[in-house]
Amino acid sequence: MTSQLLTQQGSRALQVWARLLRGHAAARRALSARLDAEHGLTVSEFEALQLLARAERRAMRRVDLAEGLGLTPSGVTRLLDGLERAGFVGKRTCESDGRVTYAVLTDAGEAKLTEASCSHVGAIATFLEDRYSVEELTALEDLLGRLSCQEYPS
């Protein structure tokens, strides 16, 4: 390959990468603003409640929750502090290891998640369907699915 071709490929890849990041940020801002206005939750808070609702016994180690949300341990602590103050999440200490704490979805948290779910899922559908045809959404799903199925080549 010539260096010109490599530069063109790199340039295209960087353009796609930049659009992917900007698109993600724009979608997240728009959906988070609507979720906050309608339900008093951020997208990250909603996702935390959703992960806890799907977890065994509605509880997760805080470190696992951080990983699932793509947050640092301190980031998940700040997130959970707000959810705990609202009464949506509680804390539980591991019976066999007192150093391990669990975030636990409360009944109020489950009710909040249920309340917010229909409108949030509807907002996601509207956001995407206003921009893409059914065929484009199918293609986009397939293309983006490849990102999570492959490791970065070394």
Side-chain angles (χ1 to χ4, degrees), residues 38-89:
E38 293 178 359
H39 301 285
L41 292 173
T42 66
V43 168
S44 293
E45 290 170 333
F46 178 87
E47 290 170 352
L49 295 178
Q50 196 172 43
L51 283 173
L52 289 170
R54 292 178 178 160
E56 185 178 331
R57 298 177 64 198
R58 298 183 342 174
M60 291 179 73
R61 292 184 321 160
R62 296 165 80 89
V63 66
D64 295 331
L65 189 58
E67 183 178 319
L69 294 169
L71 296 175
T72 63
S74 63
V76 84
T77 295
R78 284 190 299 277
L79 179 82
L80 290 173
D81 285 347
L83 291 172
E84 288 169 11
R85 280 192 300 277
F88 301 145
V89 173

Side-chain angles (χ1 to χ4, degrees), residues 6-24:
L6 289 174
T7 303
Q8 289 171 349
Q9 288 177 333
S11 176
R12 174 60 51 130
L14 288 175
Q15 288 174 13
V16 169
W17 179 247
R19 285 187 178 206
L20 181 62
L21 293 178
R22 284 190 209 112
H24 173 263

Side-chain angles (χ1 to χ4, degrees), residues 7-151:
T7 303
Q8 289 171 349
Q9 288 177 333
S11 176
R12 174 60 51 130
L14 288 175
Q15 288 174 13
V16 169
W17 179 247
R19 285 187 178 206
L20 181 62
L21 293 178
R22 284 190 209 112
H24 173 263
R28 196 162 179 94
R29 273 193 311 273
L31 293 168
S32 194
R34 182 168 174 174
L35 191 59
D36 185 38
E38 293 178 359
H39 301 285
L41 292 173
T42 66
V43 168
S44 293
E45 290 170 333
F46 178 87
E47 290 170 352
L49 295 178
Q50 196 172 43
L51 283 173
L52 289 170
R54 292 178 178 160
E56 185 178 331
R57 298 177 64 198
R58 298 183 342 174
M60 291 179 73
R61 292 184 321 160
R62 296 165 80 89
V63 66
D64 295 331
L65 189 58
E67 183 178 319
L69 294 169
L71 296 175
T72 63
S74 63
V76 84
T77 295
R78 284 190 299 277
L79 179 82
L80 290 173
D81 285 347
L83 291 172
E84 288 169 11
R85 280 192 300 277
F88 301 145
V89 173
K91 283 184 189 173
R92 186 177 76 221
T93 304
C94 178
E95 295 167 6
S96 61
D97 185 348
R99 299 169 295 175
V100 177
T101 57
Y102 290 88
V104 182
L105 183 67
T106 64
D107 291 341
E110 187 171 29
K112 178 56 103 173
L113 178 62
T114 299
E115 170 194 310
S117 288
C118 286
S119 64
H120 184 55
V121 170
I124 292 168
T126 299
F127 185 86
L128 293 172
E129 291 167 356
D130 283 352
R131 290 160 176 78
Y132 302 105
S133 69
V134 172
E135 294 80 16
E136 289 171 325
L137 283 172
T138 300
L140 185 58
E141 179 182 16
D142 291 341
L143 292 168
L144 292 174
R146 291 187 214 163
L147 293 176
S148 60
C149 294
Q150 296 178 359
E151 292 294 319

